[in-house]
Amino acid sequence: MSSLASDSPYAVELNQVSKIYPGTPPVEALSEVSISVPRGELLGIVGASGSGKSTLLHLVGTLTRPTAGSVFIDGLDTSGLSDGALSGIRSRNVGFVFQDFFLLPGVTATENVGNGLLYSGTPERERKRRAEAMLERVGLSHRLAHLPNEMSGGEQQRVAIARALVHDPSFILADEPTGNLDSQNTASLMELMVSLNHDGATVILITHDPEVAEMCARQITLKDGRIEFDSSTVPGNAHD
Amino acid sequence: MNSIRALCLEMPMTERAEIQMELPKSRLSFLETLRVGSSGLRTRRLRSALSALGITIGIAALISVLGLSASGSADLIKELDALGTNLLTIEAGQGFGAGPVSLPDDAPAMIRRISPVYEVATVSKVPGGVYRNDLIADGRTRGITIVASGLNLINAQQGSLKAGVFLSQVTSQFPAVVLGAVAAERLGIRDLSIGHQLWLGERWFTVIGILNPLLLAADLDRAAIIGYGAAEKFLDHDVDADVIYVRAFPEHILDVRSVMAATVNPESPEEVQVSRASDVLEARVAATSTFTNLFVGLGAVALLVGGIGIANVMVIAVIERRNEIGLRRALGATRFHIATQFLSESLLLSGIGGVAGILMGILVTAIYAISQDWSLIIPGLAVVGGMVSSVLIGGVAGFYPALRAANMSPTEALRTG
Ligand SMILES: Nc1ncnc2c1ncn2[C@@H]1O[C@H](COP(=O)(O)OP(=O)(O)OP(=O)(O)O)[C@@H](O)[C@H]1O
Ligand SMILES: [Mg+2]
């Protein structure tokens, strides 16, 4: 695992984070949210549409900056870092999975997964080797040379998960990864997520599906940009 | 690196936290950037090919126009150099009064006195036709004229013989004739392997030579040339010079030309017509280059349109591939990486278009030049210029789209629908 400040027990910490989108009127998508995500956690985030889930994920993934508060990744305060430095952090420490997979068309599964290593300057041969190993890990060793349009939705999302994990990030962020899958594919994808988490991966996952949320060890419910419920603070369910 | 680590360990915690800002950097080598760019083009082959086509056509047009004009005028210029630009042709012009005027009898002698002049050849037009037998009625002359000339005519014209020999001291006294290239062709005489006799007005003449075309005096190509002695003896012709060909040293040719009319006919110089034979050829070279300029202009317009086409395709690509941009940013691409990816796509498009255009232009030039029997010339400057301008166009066309892609906010770019 690539660590920025390895003495921190948390993969991610949000400290009083707010996000206001300018406009008339301005939208406060997140309001003074504090969350600590220890390494190895499987965290499910639920909430109504517009409650700020995606905003939260983008902030954690350094794709956007908070209006107030700070985001720590592996113990490193990311506020004030340049765009280039944030990109560097994403290339090593963050893995993204999206509802729409976002695989590059016309490019094989192996190359798509290898792109997870592209911007860390990994040579092509090593990208290929590690991509193939990761595809095998997600159960797609028979789809290495397949193009996205030759694969089912469930398979495409597994490729996307392999891409998010191939560079051994500190955590993976999944925004409704099962949103485009049927119940059967959802179940097997979540099985994969749980198994990856068992192997040590830290996962933060947004979902609308109560069954998916059930499978997460910790759940947070957002409402109007605030934490309405956090299972880790419920007595008898506490983490630390 | 290790030394920095070691240094850090010796420091108090607070300072350590600041120095351990040895943050990971996003990296993408130049080669990988090109690879990413080319993969973007490969997954959209048809569109890429079509958008590069504009540049290809523009460059091909430029190369072939410049190549063809260079190849076409190369032979002309070579001939011009070989024939020299120092030949003047002096004829009687139109007089003010009635009736044809002629050159004064002492004209050749007067001309010889101009010091830069080193060769003076005279020609006298002999009335009458040239026939293959003595039965053809008068009037069917096939446009062939009889001229009497001195022995140095071939020198003055820098002419050469296709077959046989030119007139000599001896043969100019005999009924012997040398045919111009066109005259020989019209009479159906290709070589002298069998003896040919021609009926010149009043008696048979033997063909002793055939000239190659004389580029500086097309009139003589249609002539049957006999000696002065023969003209007087057999055709009863009074030989005074109708046309005088003068060679002078090239550096003085303009001076010689300016005094020529007055030297030939001091009383009425306006009755003397002086022309420089090479002017006609030079005008032809100039005419080709005028056309070339026109077509180069058209090629440049095609190139501009091609560049706009690429810019258009790139702008559309940036809008269409918004999600890809967002994804790459999420994977760790910096703004610079995104900009260089799109810039390299546009440069590859125009570069490939340019190379294809150069090859096509060379092919067109080669095919046409060979069909015209020209010597093939591909101007190196046109090739280099074509390549440089296509790359420049790619850079300019890709600049704005690349900037736009780079400045897209990652979260906006990741939005769907
Ligand atoms: N770029 C933006 N500019 C302005 N407002 C925005 C922007 N992005 C999000 N918002 C607003 O911020 C709020 C939170 O949006 P967010 O996308 O985080 O919601 P969400 O919980 O992910 O919703 P969903 O479940 O529908 O995906 C919404 O009210 C949304 O309209
Ligand atoms: Mg969302």
Side-chain angles (χ1 to χ4, degrees):
Chain A
M1 188 176 306
S2 8
S3 293
L4 295 170
S6 42
D7 38 354
S8 168
Y10 297 108
V12 177
E13 288 169 273
L14 300 189
N15 186 7
Q16 297 287 307
V17 168
S18 298
K19 179 71 181 180
I20 298 170
Y21 290 110
T24 41
V27 179
E28 186 166 32
L30 279 184
S31 152
E32 296 177 356
V33 169
S34 297
I35 303 175
S36 297
V37 184
R39 292 181 200 289
E41 190 163 70
L42 174 53
L43 167 61
I45 297 177
V46 292
S49 185
S51 56
K53 306 182 296 294
S54 295
T55 303
L56 179 73
L57 215 72
H58 290 156
L59 281 165
V60 171
T62 75
L63 286 172
T64 185
R65 295 167 200 269
T67 313
S70 21
V71 177
F72 292 80
I73 289 180
D74 278 332
L76 175 83
D77 188 354
T78 59
S79 26
L81 292 186
S82 69
D83 187 75
L86 294 179
S87 299
I89 289 173
R90 289 197 296 276
S91 75
R92 303 288 187 344
N93 298 73
V94 187
F96 281 97
V97 177
F98 303 97
Q99 180 174 353
D100 292 295
F101 324 140
F102 290 156
L103 300 182
L104 295 186
V107 172
T108 64
T110 305
E111 284 175 77
N112 262 301
V113 174
N115 279 342
L117 290 162
L118 186 63
Y119 296 99
S120 53
T122 315
E124 202 212 351
R125 195 182 294 200
E126 198 192 333
R127 290 208 301 270
K128 186 167 184 287
R129 186 181 60 74
R130 287 172 66 176
E132 285 174 354
M134 195 46 76
L135 278 168
E136 193 172 344
R137 174 68 188 85
V138 301
L140 287 178
S141 47
H142 58 303
R143 293 280 182 269
L144 299 182
H146 281 237
L147 301 178
N149 59 10
E150 299 166 350
M151 288 185 280
S152 74
E155 286 173 328
Q156 289 187 54
Q157 195 59 301
R158 280 161 187 269
V159 173
I161 289 173
R163 180 179 61 196
L165 277 171
V166 71
H167 57 297
D168 196 14
S170 307
F171 51 86
I172 65 174
L173 303 171
D175 195 344
E176 300 194 37
T178 61
N180 281 341
L181 303 181
D182 60 21
S183 55
Q184 211 173 340
N185 273 312
T186 297
S188 77
L189 193 94
M190 279 315 291
E191 233 170 79
L192 174 65
M193 282 290 195
V194 169
S195 132
L196 291 168
N197 175 248
H198 267 291
D199 292 351
T202 310
V203 180
I204 303 175
L205 181 148
I206 290 176
T207 184
H208 273 121
D209 185 338
E211 279 180 44
V212 169
E214 266 317 300
M215 298 179 80
C216 300
R218 178 183 175 192
Q219 293 137 32
I220 288 178
T221 308
L222 284 184
K223 193 186 178 201
D224 297 334
R226 291 171 193 278
I227 295 177
E228 189 189 47
F229 169 79
D230 182 343
S231 68
S232 72
T233 60
V234 174
N237 210 359
H239 264 273
D240 37 25
Chain B
M1 194 106 140
N2 283 334
S3 61
I4 295 179
R5 282 268 151 80
L7 210 74
C8 290
L9 290 175
E10 285 161 37
M11 280 184 222
M13 277 298 274
T14 48
E15 275 178 50
R16 205 158 110 193
E18 270 165 35
I19 294 208
Q20 54 106 297
M21 289 295 207
E22 254 191 53
L23 293 174
K25 273 212 179 75
S26 288
R27 261 189 231 114
L28 192 68
S29 68
F30 177 70
L31 221 66
E32 295 278 17
T33 305
L34 282 186
R35 199 181 286 172
V36 170
S38 79
S39 129
L41 298 182
R42 266 184 281 126
T43 50
R44 296 164 189 82
R45 268 169 223 271
L46 181 65
R47 186 196 292 193
S48 305
L50 287 177
S51 54
L53 197 61
I55 297 283
T56 302
I57 290 172
I59 296 284
L62 284 181
I63 299 279
S64 50
V65 163
L66 292 173
L68 284 176
S69 100
S71 302
S73 53
D75 294 343
L76 222 52
I77 290 168
K78 220 187 290 169
E79 278 161 11
L80 207 56
D81 285 346
L83 297 169
T85 54
N86 61 339
L87 179 71
L88 297 179
T89 305
I90 294 110
E91 288 168 276
Q94 299 300 306
F96 287 116
V101 294
S102 56
L103 295 173
D105 288 347
D106 61 348
M110 298 300 286
I111 292 171
R112 276 193 194 91
R113 281 194 211 153
I114 307 173
S115 59
V117 168
Y118 63 84
E119 187 103 67
V120 179
T122 59
V123 158
S124 175
K125 290 173 184 162
V126 183
V130 178
Y131 309 101
R132 293 214 58 172
N133 58 56
D134 53 357
L135 302 174
I136 293 179
D138 248 13
R140 273 210 59 194
T141 60
R142 305 177 208 232
I144 302 167
T145 55
I146 306 171
V147 302
S149 95
L151 307 181
N152 63 347
L153 178 68
I154 193 158
N155 281 345
Q157 288 294 341
Q158 307 256 296
S160 61
L161 284 144
K162 186 185 166 201
V165 292
F166 197 70
L167 297 168
S168 70
Q169 205 78 48
V170 178
T171 51
S172 66
Q173 305 297 324
F174 282 87
V177 60
V178 174
L179 294 174
V182 175
E185 199 186 300
R186 288 188 186 165
L187 290 164
I189 299 173
R190 298 221 150 63
D191 55 52
L192 301 175
S193 52
I194 51 166
H196 289 282
Q197 299 280 317
L198 290 176
W199 184 257
L200 264 64
E202 291 157 37
R203 63 160 298 153
W204 289 103
F205 277 65
T206 305
V207 180
I208 61 164
I210 301 172
L211 289 170
N212 283 319
L214 300 172
L215 286 132
L216 297 178
D219 284 354
L220 292 176
D221 286 343
R222 291 186 298 274
I225 303 160
I226 60 175
Y228 278 130
E232 280 174 350
K233 240 184 273 174
F234 306 114
L235 300 179
D236 197 20
H237 178 67
D238 208 12
V239 285
D240 21 70
D242 291 313
V243 185
I244 306 173
Y245 298 106
V246 173
R247 287 273 184 184
F249 294 111
E251 57 273 27
H252 298 296
I253 188 71
L254 292 177
D255 302 333
V256 172
R257 182 182 186 159
S258 63
V259 301
M260 186 57 74
T263 310
V264 169
N265 192 344
E267 275 109 70
S268 36
E270 70 283 351
E271 287 179 7
V272 179
Q273 188 184 314
V274 181
S275 60
R276 191 171 170 189
S278 56
D279 285 354
V280 181
L281 282 180
E282 272 174 354
R284 257 164 67 197
V285 173
T288 11
S289 71
T290 310
F291 264 107
T292 305
N293 290 343
L294 183 70
F295 281 107
V296 164
L298 287 178
V301 169
L303 214 52
L304 184 71
V305 171
I308 292 170
I310 287 188
N312 184 31
V313 163
M314 292 309 297
V315 167
I316 291 171
V318 168
I319 294 167
E320 257 185 13
R321 290 157 69 188
R322 212 185 42 168
N323 288 159
E324 180 190 332
I325 295 168
L327 170 77
R328 289 185 184 277
R329 295 285 274 138
L331 293 176
T334 61
R335 287 199 179 113
F336 179 76
H337 292 148
I338 298 295
T340 50
Q341 173 187 340
F342 282 92
L343 198 60
S344 74
E345 280 191 23
S346 139
L347 284 171
L348 281 171
L349 268 184
S350 65
I352 291 167
V355 169
I358 288 171
L359 293 180
M360 200 190 276
I362 290 176
L363 193 72
V364 167
T365 310
I367 289 173
Y368 194 76
I370 287 167
S371 79
Q372 294 292 301
D373 219 11
W374 292 344
S375 39
L376 174 63
I377 290 179
I378 307 290
L381 199 67
V383 173
V384 173
M387 204 58 235
V388 167
S389 54
S390 56
V391 168
L392 273 181
I393 286 170
V396 171
F399 188 77
Y400 167 71
L403 218 60
R404 216 174 128 163
N407 285 329
M408 211 176 262
S409 119
T411 50
E412 286 294 316
L414 284 168
R415 226 188 259 263
T416 48

